[in-house]
Amino acid sequence: MAFPHAAGTVSYSGTFIPEIWSKKLIEKFYDATVLTAISNTNYEGEIRSQGDLVKIRTIPTMTINDYQSGQTLVNQRPESEIVELLIDKGKYWSAIVDDVQDVQSDLELMNMWANDASEQMKIRIDTEVLGSIVPDFHEENKGSAAGRISGNINLGETGAPLEVNRDNILDVILDMGQCLDEQNRPETGRFLVMPYWATTLLKKSDLKDASLTGDSQTPLRNGRVGMVDRFTIYQSNNLPKVNDSGSSAFYFMGGIDNGLTFASQLTKTESLRAESTFGNIMRGLQVYGYKVIDGRSLTAAYCYKGA
């Protein structure tokens, strides 16, 4: 027996269930990216497209000579070493929204996808850079015999990563600072990037969280945690993990931003009608390049989490 339904209500029959597309979105959380905080972008304005080459001149080292009265002076012809920054990398994204999909969802899909693509682009580039720059750090600032003057600072090495726990994590940070000190690097503007488990150990150490942060502000989106021994501490899930000697080893990376240069430009962002279907395409291209231009300004500790 069928029952009449009231006027204005929906009749349900068979397997038909009316759909409602919500205008609210589930919030999405992204990995913190640290690249812009630990590198300089001094040459970013000089690139235009993928394949550009930026030639960077370095300050020459002047020669100091002894002097005796009446002697003939020897003139030096200072020559600047040229560092080449090649903008040879690029990443893109491209998405299509069909006309019918746009109507059904009633969401600003293009803007939503563009925002997500921007965040994913930063994470991909951040991970790539952090995973490839340590070999260009100066040999005196990493390894089991680090220190330009002391030569006896153990920061871990391949096959023998350094065990780090709540009792010695401050010592590791201080040792990394000493490496920069022995290279006569500035005390201001120093950074240190660590995996999240390391900052947790740091907060459990004798330093404690209150001394770590040094302020009452909420950590920024770039993963900033606080300051320790002149280092601004950042935490990141984008640091490379290496399976070494039965342990998961990570690099702690520290220094000042003149050691690493990064240049990037979003060269193309465009929206166009699709040719093979009814819909709009939105796509973007970002070109970039990076280079360690002063390895003495960067230091690394190769560590794994101990008990």
Side-chain angles (χ1 to χ4, degrees):
M1 177 179 179
F3 294 91
H5 60 272
T9 63
V10 179
S11 176
Y12 295 87
S13 62
T15 59
F16 171 72
I17 300 176
E19 291 183 344
I20 297 176
W21 287 76
S22 175
K23 298 188 180 204
K24 299 177 181 178
L25 299 175
I26 297 175
E27 187 171 0
K28 191 170 185 178
F29 299 94
Y30 300 91
D31 285 350
T33 52
V34 300
L35 186 55
T36 56
I38 68 173
S39 64
N40 72 76
T41 56
N42 298 337
Y43 316 101
E44 199 161 61
E46 301 182 38
I47 67 172
R48 292 294 178 269
S49 62
Q50 186 173 352
D52 282 1
L53 179 66
V54 181
K55 293 191 174 183
I56 307 168
R57 290 175 292 184
T58 60
I59 300 175
T61 300
M62 302 301 294
T63 301
I64 305 301
N65 302 300
D66 293 328
Y67 174 76
Q68 293 181 354
S69 179
Q71 77 171 74
T72 300
L73 303 183
V74 177
N75 295 314
Q76 176 187 2
R77 296 184 181 276
E79 295 185 2
S80 295
E81 180 182 354
I82 303 299
V83 177
E84 295 185 344
L85 174 61
L86 181 60
I87 312 304
D88 59 346
K89 298 174 176 60
K91 286 183 170 44
Y92 81 94
W93 64 274
S94 182
I96 184 171
V97 55
D98 292 320
D99 291 343
V100 63
Q101 183 182 16
D102 191 29
V103 172
Q104 288 177 342
S105 65
D106 197 26
L107 294 171
E108 295 182 359
L109 289 178
M110 302 296 256
N111 290 337
M112 178 183 67
W113 291 349
N115 290 336
D116 186 72
S118 175
E119 292 294 334
Q120 300 296 348
M121 186 82 75
K122 287 188 290 185
I123 293 169
R124 282 286 302 276
I125 295 175
D126 206 62
T127 302
E128 177 185 323
V129 176
L130 293 176
S132 61
I133 58 177
V134 171
D136 293 325
F137 291 13
H138 198 278
E139 293 301 318
E140 294 169 346
N141 291 0
K142 60 184 179 181
S144 59
R148 182 176 73 93
I149 298 172
S150 58
N152 61 359
I153 301 173
N154 182 13
L155 295 179
E157 61 186 359
T158 301
L162 187 66
E163 180 180 358
V164 176
N165 53 49
R166 61 188 294 178
D167 296 324
N168 71 348
I169 190 167
L170 287 176
D171 294 332
V172 175
I173 295 174
L174 293 174
D175 286 343
M176 296 177 74
Q178 181 181 337
C179 284
L180 296 178
D181 292 339
E182 293 188 8
Q183 296 285 8
N184 300 312
R185 266 35 190 180
E187 296 191 8
T188 58
R190 294 187 180 184
F191 67 83
L192 178 58
V193 185
M194 310 167 71
Y196 275 71
W197 61 261
T199 57
T200 299
L201 290 177
L202 190 57
K203 294 172 184 177
K204 292 179 178 179
S205 71
D206 291 338
L207 187 67
K208 304 302 182 186
D209 190 34
S211 298
L212 171 64
T213 57
D215 56 49
S216 59
Q217 297 180 0
T218 302
L220 303 178
R221 261 294 286 121
N222 60 3
R224 182 184 183 278
V225 177
M227 293 193 69
V228 176
D229 184 41
R230 301 160 292 169
F231 286 111
T232 298
I233 307 294
Y234 296 90
Q235 55 190 4
S236 174
N237 282 327
N238 299 328
L239 289 164
K241 179 175 71 172
V242 180
N243 293 321
D244 191 340
S245 304
S247 301
S248 295
F250 295 78
Y251 279 108
F252 299 0
M253 302 181 192
I256 55 177
D257 67 7
N258 78 328
L260 171 67
T261 190
F262 174 77
S264 174
Q265 186 168 332
L266 190 63
T267 58
K268 298 285 185 181
T269 301
E270 56 190 13
S271 177
L272 63 155
R273 289 294 293 175
E275 294 182 0
S276 58
T277 187
F278 294 103
N280 292 313
I281 295 174
M282 176 171 277
R283 58 194 183 190
L285 170 65
Q286 184 163 347
V287 298
Y288 62 98
Y290 57 90
K291 190 179 186 69
V292 172
I293 58 175
D294 182 9
R296 294 183 183 274
S297 293
L298 299 167
T299 179
Y302 186 53
C303 310
Y304 73 95
K305 182 181 180 181

PDB file of all heavy atoms in Angstrom, residues 191-206:
ATOM      1  N   PHE A 191      70.445  29.393  11.935  1.00  0.00           N
ATOM      2  CA  PHE A 191      69.272  28.520  11.955  1.00  0.00           C
ATOM      3  C   PHE A 191      69.710  27.087  12.196  1.00  0.00           C
ATOM      4  O   PHE A 191      70.868  26.714  11.982  1.00  0.00           O
ATOM      5  CB  PHE A 191      68.507  28.593  10.625  1.00  0.00           C
ATOM      6  CG  PHE A 191      69.270  28.017   9.460  1.00  0.00           C
ATOM      7  CD1 PHE A 191      69.273  26.648   9.199  1.00  0.00           C
ATOM      8  CD2 PHE A 191      69.993  28.842   8.614  1.00  0.00           C
ATOM      9  CE1 PHE A 191      69.989  26.115   8.139  1.00  0.00           C
ATOM     10  CE2 PHE A 191      70.720  28.314   7.547  1.00  0.00           C
ATOM     11  CZ  PHE A 191      70.714  26.949   7.312  1.00  0.00           C
ATOM     12  N   LEU A 192      68.773  26.260  12.657  1.00  0.00           N
ATOM     13  CA  LEU A 192      69.004  24.833  12.814  1.00  0.00           C
ATOM     14  C   LEU A 192      67.696  24.109  12.533  1.00  0.00           C
ATOM     15  O   LEU A 192      66.670  24.398  13.158  1.00  0.00           O
ATOM     16  CB  LEU A 192      69.486  24.512  14.238  1.00  0.00           C
ATOM     17  CG  LEU A 192      69.731  23.037  14.574  1.00  0.00           C
ATOM     18  CD1 LEU A 192      70.766  22.430  13.639  1.00  0.00           C
ATOM     19  CD2 LEU A 192      70.182  22.894  16.022  1.00  0.00           C
ATOM     20  N   VAL A 193      67.718  23.190  11.560  1.00  0.00           N
ATOM     21  CA  VAL A 193      66.533  22.428  11.183  1.00  0.00           C
ATOM     22  C   VAL A 193      66.681  21.010  11.728  1.00  0.00           C
ATOM     23  O   VAL A 193      67.700  20.348  11.499  1.00  0.00           O
ATOM     24  CB  VAL A 193      66.344  22.372   9.657  1.00  0.00           C
ATOM     25  CG1 VAL A 193      65.033  21.678   9.310  1.00  0.00           C
ATOM     26  CG2 VAL A 193      66.377  23.765   9.058  1.00  0.00           C
ATOM     27  N   MET A 194      65.641  20.537  12.439  1.00  0.00           N
ATOM     28  CA  MET A 194      65.678  19.223  13.068  1.00  0.00           C
ATOM     29  C   MET A 194      64.369  18.492  12.796  1.00  0.00           C
ATOM     30  O   MET A 194      63.332  19.130  12.611  1.00  0.00           O
ATOM     31  CB  MET A 194      65.880  19.372  14.586  1.00  0.00           C
ATOM     32  CG  MET A 194      67.021  20.267  14.975  1.00  0.00           C
ATOM     33  SD  MET A 194      66.985  20.712  16.738  1.00  0.00           S
ATOM     34  CE  MET A 194      67.426  19.165  17.474  1.00  0.00           C
ATOM     35  N   PRO A 195      64.391  17.153  12.819  1.00  0.00           N
ATOM     36  CA  PRO A 195      63.127  16.414  12.736  1.00  0.00           C
ATOM     37  C   PRO A 195      62.326  16.605  14.023  1.00  0.00           C
ATOM     38  O   PRO A 195      62.864  16.990  15.057  1.00  0.00           O
ATOM     39  CB  PRO A 195      63.572  14.964  12.555  1.00  0.00           C
ATOM     40  CG  PRO A 195      64.954  14.914  13.093  1.00  0.00           C
ATOM     41  CD  PRO A 195      65.566  16.260  12.857  1.00  0.00           C
ATOM     42  N   TYR A 196      61.050  16.293  13.958  1.00  0.00           N
ATOM     43  CA  TYR A 196      60.169  16.539  15.099  1.00  0.00           C
ATOM     44  C   TYR A 196      60.589  15.752  16.336  1.00  0.00           C
ATOM     45  O   TYR A 196      60.459  16.235  17.467  1.00  0.00           O
ATOM     46  CB  TYR A 196      58.714  16.201  14.722  1.00  0.00           C
ATOM     47  CG  TYR A 196      58.001  17.331  14.031  1.00  0.00           C
ATOM     48  CD1 TYR A 196      58.327  17.693  12.723  1.00  0.00           C
ATOM     49  CD2 TYR A 196      57.007  18.053  14.679  1.00  0.00           C
ATOM     50  CE1 TYR A 196      57.675  18.732  12.079  1.00  0.00           C
ATOM     51  CE2 TYR A 196      56.355  19.096  14.040  1.00  0.00           C
ATOM     52  CZ  TYR A 196      56.688  19.432  12.743  1.00  0.00           C
ATOM     53  OH  TYR A 196      56.054  20.477  12.115  1.00  0.00           O
ATOM     54  N   TRP A 197      61.096  14.539  16.152  1.00  0.00           N
ATOM     55  CA  TRP A 197      61.490  13.761  17.330  1.00  0.00           C
ATOM     56  C   TRP A 197      62.642  14.434  18.070  1.00  0.00           C
ATOM     57  O   TRP A 197      62.758  14.311  19.300  1.00  0.00           O
ATOM     58  CB  TRP A 197      61.864  12.322  16.952  1.00  0.00           C
ATOM     59  CG  TRP A 197      63.024  12.153  16.006  1.00  0.00           C
ATOM     60  CD1 TRP A 197      62.970  11.928  14.668  1.00  0.00           C
ATOM     61  CD2 TRP A 197      64.428  12.165  16.333  1.00  0.00           C
ATOM     62  NE1 TRP A 197      64.230  11.808  14.136  1.00  0.00           N
ATOM     63  CE2 TRP A 197      65.134  11.931  15.132  1.00  0.00           C
ATOM     64  CE3 TRP A 197      65.134  12.332  17.512  1.00  0.00           C
ATOM     65  CZ2 TRP A 197      66.531  11.883  15.087  1.00  0.00           C
ATOM     66  CZ3 TRP A 197      66.533  12.280  17.483  1.00  0.00           C
ATOM     67  CH2 TRP A 197      67.212  12.062  16.271  1.00  0.00           C
ATOM     68  N   ALA A 198      63.471  15.169  17.337  1.00  0.00           N
ATOM     69  CA  ALA A 198      64.598  15.841  17.978  1.00  0.00           C
ATOM     70  C   ALA A 198      64.134  17.046  18.792  1.00  0.00           C
ATOM     71  O   ALA A 198      64.649  17.304  19.890  1.00  0.00           O
ATOM     72  CB  ALA A 198      65.623  16.267  16.924  1.00  0.00           C
ATOM     73  N   THR A 199      63.172  17.799  18.267  1.00  0.00           N
ATOM     74  CA  THR A 199      62.673  18.932  19.053  1.00  0.00           C
ATOM     75  C   THR A 199      61.901  18.439  20.276  1.00  0.00           C
ATOM     76  O   THR A 199      61.887  19.112  21.314  1.00  0.00           O
ATOM     77  CB  THR A 199      61.780  19.847  18.200  1.00  0.00           C
ATOM     78  OG1 THR A 199      60.695  19.104  17.641  1.00  0.00           O
ATOM     79  CG2 THR A 199      62.585  20.486  17.076  1.00  0.00           C
ATOM     80  N   THR A 200      61.289  17.262  20.174  1.00  0.00           N
ATOM     81  CA  THR A 200      60.641  16.687  21.357  1.00  0.00           C
ATOM     82  C   THR A 200      61.678  16.343  22.421  1.00  0.00           C
ATOM     83  O   THR A 200      61.488  16.629  23.609  1.00  0.00           O
ATOM     84  CB  THR A 200      59.848  15.420  20.970  1.00  0.00           C
ATOM     85  OG1 THR A 200      58.832  15.768  20.034  1.00  0.00           O
ATOM     86  CG2 THR A 200      59.202  14.785  22.198  1.00  0.00           C
ATOM     87  N   LEU A 201      62.803  15.745  22.003  1.00  0.00           N
ATOM     88  CA  LEU A 201      63.880  15.472  22.951  1.00  0.00           C
ATOM     89  C   LEU A 201      64.405  16.759  23.567  1.00  0.00           C
ATOM     90  O   LEU A 201      64.727  16.817  24.766  1.00  0.00           O
ATOM     91  CB  LEU A 201      65.023  14.733  22.251  1.00  0.00           C
ATOM     92  CG  LEU A 201      64.778  13.291  21.826  1.00  0.00           C
ATOM     93  CD1 LEU A 201      65.997  12.754  21.087  1.00  0.00           C
ATOM     94  CD2 LEU A 201      64.447  12.410  23.024  1.00  0.00           C
ATOM     95  N   LEU A 202      64.484  17.789  22.748  1.00  0.00           N
ATOM     96  CA  LEU A 202      64.986  19.071  23.226  1.00  0.00           C
ATOM     97  C   LEU A 202      64.080  19.632  24.320  1.00  0.00           C
ATOM     98  O   LEU A 202      64.547  20.164  25.336  1.00  0.00           O
ATOM     99  CB  LEU A 202      65.090  20.040  22.049  1.00  0.00           C
ATOM    100  CG  LEU A 202      65.816  21.364  22.277  1.00  0.00           C
ATOM    101  CD1 LEU A 202      67.241  21.121  22.757  1.00  0.00           C
ATOM    102  CD2 LEU A 202      65.818  22.174  20.980  1.00  0.00           C
ATOM    103  N   LYS A 203      62.772  19.504  24.116  1.00  0.00           N
ATOM    104  CA  LYS A 203      61.824  19.999  25.109  1.00  0.00           C
ATOM    105  C   LYS A 203      61.847  19.170  26.389  1.00  0.00           C
ATOM    106  O   LYS A 203      61.462  19.662  27.459  1.00  0.00           O
ATOM    107  CB  LYS A 203      60.408  20.001  24.513  1.00  0.00           C
ATOM    108  CG  LYS A 203      60.237  20.988  23.373  1.00  0.00           C
ATOM    109  CD  LYS A 203      58.889  20.813  22.685  1.00  0.00           C
ATOM    110  CE  LYS A 203      58.761  21.744  21.488  1.00  0.00           C
ATOM    111  NZ  LYS A 203      57.480  21.552  20.760  1.00  0.00           N
ATOM    112  N   LYS A 204      62.292  17.913  26.277  1.00  0.00           N
ATOM    113  CA  LYS A 204      62.400  17.060  27.459  1.00  0.00           C
ATOM    114  C   LYS A 204      63.753  17.164  28.144  1.00  0.00           C
ATOM    115  O   LYS A 204      63.953  16.610  29.220  1.00  0.00           O
ATOM    116  CB  LYS A 204      62.163  15.596  27.055  1.00  0.00           C
ATOM    117  CG  LYS A 204      60.749  15.279  26.604  1.00  0.00           C
ATOM    118  CD  LYS A 204      60.629  13.814  26.214  1.00  0.00           C
ATOM    119  CE  LYS A 204      59.208  13.456  25.801  1.00  0.00           C
ATOM    120  NZ  LYS A 204      59.095  12.019  25.397  1.00  0.00           N
ATOM    121  N   SER A 205      64.676  17.864  27.515  1.00  0.00           N
ATOM    122  CA  SER A 205      66.030  17.970  28.055  1.00  0.00           C
ATOM    123  C   SER A 205      66.065  18.942  29.220  1.00  0.00           C
ATOM    124  O   SER A 205      65.046  19.488  29.635  1.00  0.00           O
ATOM    125  CB  SER A 205      66.985  18.438  26.952  1.00  0.00           C
ATOM    126  OG  SER A 205      66.733  19.801  26.638  1.00  0.00           O
ATOM    127  N   ASP A 206      67.272  19.200  29.720  1.00  0.00           N
ATOM    128  CA  ASP A 206      67.436  20.139  30.829  1.00  0.00           C
ATOM    129  C   ASP A 206      67.028  21.550  30.457  1.00  0.00           C
ATOM    130  O   ASP A 206      66.772  22.378  31.327  1.00  0.00           O
ATOM    131  CB  ASP A 206      68.895  20.147  31.295  1.00  0.00           C
ATOM    132  CG  ASP A 206      69.286  18.842  31.960  1.00  0.00           C
ATOM    133  OD1 ASP A 206      68.370  18.138  32.433  1.00  0.00           O
ATOM    134  OD2 ASP A 206      70.481  18.525  31.998  1.00  0.00           O
TER     135      ASP A 206
END
